[in-house]
Amino acid sequence: MPELQHKIKATLKNLAPLRVGDGGFLRTRIDRPLEDGEAEESSPGVATVFLGKDTKPYLPGTTLKGWLRAYAEPRLPLDDCRRLFGTTEAGGVVRFLDGTHTGDPPGAAEESLGEYWSAARHTCVASHVVIDRRTRTAVRNLLFFEEFVPAGATFHLEFELRGASEIEAAQFLWLIHQFAAEDGGPAPLGSGGADGWGKVRCFDVKVRTPTGNGLRRWLGNTNENAKLPMREWGPAEIAALLANASPSAVLTREFRIPIHLKFDGPFVCNDPSRTRRKGDPEGAKGNFEPLRSGAGNQCQPYLPHSSLRGSLRSQAEKILRTRSPEEAVLSPCIRPGDEGSLPVIRSKRDLDKLDLISLLFGAAGMRSALSFRNQRVEHAGLLPDGELPQQELVGLDRFSGAVGSR
């Protein structure tokens, strides 16, 4: 076994929703009363995240490795990347342990997070729907739900460097420190990065190394559960090690456009977990409740980036159809596999099947070229429970012209 030379620990905090899916599907995740005659199988299924034996979410070591490797490859020398992360012929000098959940976001104790917050699973659920371009209504059978860790949770990260040189240790420590900024690091973790998900911050970074005397005492200890004594480095030693890092200059290939949205009328982006349910008293809740960011009395209106992306994509499709009527435009409103639907991208050859809009906004298997970041709400009041402006609506019976019974 290679010699353990460095152990690096850090605390990771997600500043935006974080989702690392496990491929699972759970129909009992959303707690809602069934309608009369409705079977339990009709409950919406939720795509789940990785959970440990303690029913807390965790970050698989392979996910952490892929996240850091993707950021490191254009910035560190190729040989250093291969030594740190490994190749198909040999493993790397860094061992990535699973990131363990250590804390919930503020407001979790009062269960005021919304979005189907589950204290047992420490997660929320986001709903996504596809809007029909012609009717402007939700497309049937294209509503889906994703479980995620809400912003503000913390995880414990641990990395072991075995047989690493001082330069390799410095390079890896430099990678971790790129995510130390208060507003988060430069690369998203998990899925949904193009919609602002996965922004994380790493802080409280500690470096520990075994000492000669401690190693000798550990080798002579007959207790098989004894831990190897290690010395923790001081800030000056960590700074000296970081000074040995030699990252490459990377030309940022992106074009940033600031967007300011001003609503001239009422605005609501629905949070179905807060809406009125069967059996609730009249007037207690509305049939639509706004999505909020923050907790308690610090709630503010929230516009998901996925909703903004959908609006822009719909408008872009309209422009392309108007200017180039002869060009075929694929529709995300069509169920996958049907004629005119978006193809699944599995190789570079599949890119030829996409239209201009899909190349810009993405398709299954290909990330969008557009990313939405750093949403900030300005000139908006808080949204505490019970103090929201309300609008009453009625449905008319199409036969009698009278108000419907429901």
Side-chain angles (χ1 to χ4, degrees):
M1 178 182 294
E3 178 185 357
L4 174 62
Q5 294 177 308
H6 301 84
K7 180 175 286 190
I8 299 177
K9 297 182 178 182
T11 299
L12 181 144
K13 181 179 182 179
N14 61 310
L15 307 180
L18 173 62
R19 170 171 167 76
V20 180
D22 65 349
F25 199 70
L26 186 63
R27 289 198 175 275
T28 58
R29 171 61 180 83
I30 296 180
D31 180 22
R32 70 179 184 92
L34 299 177
E35 300 289 342
D36 295 336
E38 185 180 12
E40 186 173 337
E41 291 75 15
S42 63
S43 297
V46 177
T48 53
V49 299
F50 279 97
L51 293 185
K53 293 182 179 180
D54 56 357
T55 69
K56 292 183 178 180
Y58 72 93
L59 306 175
T62 52
T63 299
L64 298 173
K65 181 177 181 178
W67 165 56
L68 288 176
R69 181 167 195 157
Y71 179 73
E73 285 182 340
R75 294 168 176 83
L76 296 182
L78 180 59
D79 289 341
D80 287 351
C81 280
R82 288 175 174 174
R83 279 278 296 163
L84 289 173
F85 298 99
T87 64
T88 55
E89 290 79 21
V93 297
V94 183
R95 181 188 178 200
F96 294 81
L97 279 67
D98 293 340
T100 56
H101 184 275
T102 56
D104 288 324
E110 296 82 14
E111 297 192 358
S112 60
L113 294 177
E115 294 196 88
Y116 299 109
W117 163 254
S118 169
R121 297 174 65 90
H122 306 271
T123 59
C124 292
V125 174
S127 59
H128 304 278
V129 68
V130 178
I131 302 298
D132 189 285
R133 301 319 194 232
R134 293 170 296 178
T135 64
R136 300 289 181 178
T137 59
V139 178
R140 186 178 182 184
N141 295 329
L142 287 183
L143 172 68
F144 63 99
F145 296 83
E146 290 182 320
E147 191 174 36
F148 67 93
V149 179
T154 55
F155 294 82
H156 173 74
L157 305 184
E158 192 168 326
F159 311 96
E160 294 181 353
L161 279 66
R162 298 178 179 270
S165 66
E166 183 175 325
I167 295 298
E168 291 164 349
Q171 302 280 47
F172 187 78
L173 187 61
W174 176 85
L175 286 176
I176 302 299
H177 271 266
Q178 299 311 295
F179 296 85
E182 290 286 342
D183 59 349
L189 172 63
S191 63
D195 291 325
W197 284 28
K199 177 178 286 190
V200 297
R201 177 188 176 223
C202 291
F203 59 97
D204 195 21
V205 179
K206 298 178 181 179
V207 179
R208 305 179 70 191
T209 53
T211 62
N213 291 333
L215 180 59
R216 282 190 288 270
R217 290 197 304 270
W218 180 73
L219 291 173
N221 196 326
T222 57
N223 182 5
E224 62 180 13
N225 295 321
K227 294 184 178 181
L228 175 64
M230 305 189 77
R231 181 182 68 85
E232 186 169 319
W233 289 25
E237 292 177 289
I238 294 178
L241 181 61
L242 279 171
N244 293 323
S246 56
S248 305
V250 177
L251 179 62
T252 303
R253 296 180 298 176
E254 65 179 17
F255 183 67
R256 298 190 178 188
I257 305 175
I259 299 177
H260 299 272
L261 299 179
K262 182 179 179 181
F263 295 91
D264 294 328
F267 160 74
V268 60
C269 193
N270 190 39
D271 180 358
S273 68
R274 298 178 186 268
T275 57
R276 181 185 175 192
R277 299 186 180 185
K278 182 180 180 180
D280 288 344
E282 287 282 348
K285 295 180 179 179
N287 291 338
F288 293 92
E289 291 285 334
L291 272 172
R292 303 165 168 90
S293 64
N297 290 327
Q298 299 302 315
C299 287
Q300 287 189 322
Y302 175 62
L303 172 63
H305 290 155
S306 57
S307 298
L308 178 58
R309 174 192 302 281
S311 298
L312 292 177
R313 181 170 191 154
S314 177
Q315 189 67 19
E317 291 175 358
K318 183 186 298 184
I319 294 173
L320 181 61
R321 287 192 177 100
T322 302
R323 294 183 61 89
S324 304
E326 71 285 352
E327 183 165 344
V329 179
L330 301 173
S331 175
C333 306
I334 302 176
R335 291 181 58 83
D338 294 346
E339 184 179 356
S341 64
L342 291 174
V344 178
I345 305 303
R346 296 185 173 89
S347 66
K348 289 185 178 180
R349 291 178 296 179
D350 294 333
L351 296 178
D352 296 334
K353 304 176 183 178
L354 296 179
D355 60 356
L356 178 61
I357 302 300
S358 302
L359 289 172
L360 183 61
F361 287 89
M366 190 191 76
R367 180 179 173 181
S368 168
L370 293 177
S371 297
F372 296 85
R373 306 174 186 169
N374 304 327
Q375 178 180 151
R376 184 174 68 252
V377 179
E378 298 176 345
H379 311 299
L382 301 178
L383 297 180
D385 290 336
E387 299 181 13
L388 298 175
Q390 297 184 1
Q391 180 179 5
E392 295 185 358
L393 304 172
V394 298
L396 297 180
D397 187 284
R398 300 302 191 260
F399 178 75
S400 64
V403 176
S405 60
R406 295 183 64 180

